[in-house]
Each structure stands twice: as structure tokens, then as C-alpha cells.
Amino acid sequence: AQRVTQPEKLLSVFKGAPVELKCNYSYSGSPELFWYVQYSRQRLQLLLRHISRESIKGFTADLNKGETSFHLKKPFAQEEDSAMYYCALLPGGGADGLTFGKGTHLIIQP
Amino acid sequence: EAGVAQSPRYKIIEKRQSVAFWCNPISGHATLYWYQQILGQGPKLLIQFQNNGVVDDSQLPKDRFSAERLKGVDSTLKIQPAKLEDSAVYLCASSFGGNTIYFGEGSWLTVV
């Protein structure tokens, strides 16, 4: 069975500092990896997915199959980035639902 | 485009009572999911439908939880009887091709 691990429950950084939210996964096949974000009092929403190789709101994430990691990075944090971030894995073929990590609460201090 | 709709948003019940949650997915989305999110944890998949058929319900506690999607559109999730540990947010989600999954705002359940 697949598993997603987010080692940090809470990450606090100052505005303008770089941010890295860690995500490691275990899965025997070729998964798709996602980052979802949940701002205060809002629904869970997709931030980015590895196959798109895009930057959203300044965030990027690279899939490292050797290290089975999909860390989320942003060079300069902004206060509006404060939120819960969840890393999620979709098994190859997409037949099953997402498996989520426990989430990291990112707090950007002014 | 309208998002995934869920109701009720909040529900407080006593243990051993029953509760039902309703979900209306995004129009045209064949796949519908119910997730349970306990405070401090990530969402956990309870059941996945493809149209009106069940694809995966391996993590659904079938002694007390049931879900249906009779006409392949709306879905209901029922808990009977509820236990204290069922207190959680119940998230409905839907997708068209299975890759990008869209979530509703969730139904918050407190069992006292």
C-alpha cells in the first residue's frame, strides 16, 4: 500500500525567507504526486501537480524518484502563504483515490 | 463552473444517533469520493464511486457507515450508530478523469 509522509507538522518562517515543505512517499509503481493547500476557512484545493511542472503562486515541486520525495519550495515566502499544505499521491492509472500525508501547517511571520 | 456542494455544513449529534451527509459533484464528473478528515490528520479515503458503482470501499467501516450514489450523480453518506471517534470533517470530492480531484467545503460532524 502507498504511504505519504510529511515530517513537519508545523513550519514557521519569516516573510521573505525561503520555504521548503518536505514530502516523502512509498509506492511500488509510478505515482502522480500533488500538493493541495487549505487556507483558513476555505476548501481543500489543488496547488500543483508534478506532471505539469509548473509554478503556482511562486511554489514549485520536483519529483525525485531516487529519493521518493516531492518537496514543495518557494524562494521568498509571503504572509498569504500561511495555510495547511498536504502532499498527496495518486497510484498509477488513477483508478484509486488520493492518499494524503498528515499535512504541514505553514505560518509566515511578518 | 459550480463546485462540489455538500450539506449540512455542521452537525452535532449524540453518540448512537444517526446522521446523513449529502453531496452533489461537479456536473459531468463520473468519479465521486468521500473522505474522512480527523483533526490533525490528512483526509482518508472512505469510498470511491465510478458513476453509480463502487470502485473502492476498503476503508469504509461497513458496520456503521454506508454510502450510495443511486443515479450516478448525487451521493449520500450515512453513519448509524455514530461513535465519538466519528467526529471529523467529511469531504466529498469529484473528478472527471481521475487526475484532478475537486473538493467540497466539507461537513463538520461532532459526536457528543
Side-chain angles (χ1 to χ4, degrees), chain B residues 16 27 33 36 43 83 108 112:
Chain B
R16 291 187 289 275
S27 178
Y33 312 81
Q36 179 193 56
K83 292 185 175 181
W108 295 68
V112 298

Side-chain angles (χ1 to χ4, degrees), chain B residues 8-31:
Chain B
R9 289 295 314 280
Y10 305 95
K11 191 76 176 178
I12 301 174
I13 61 172
E14 294 182 350
K15 58 184 179 183
R16 291 187 289 275
Q17 286 187 325
S18 62
V19 63
F21 301 112
W22 172 83
C23 173
N24 180 239
I26 293 172
S27 178
H29 282 194
T31 309

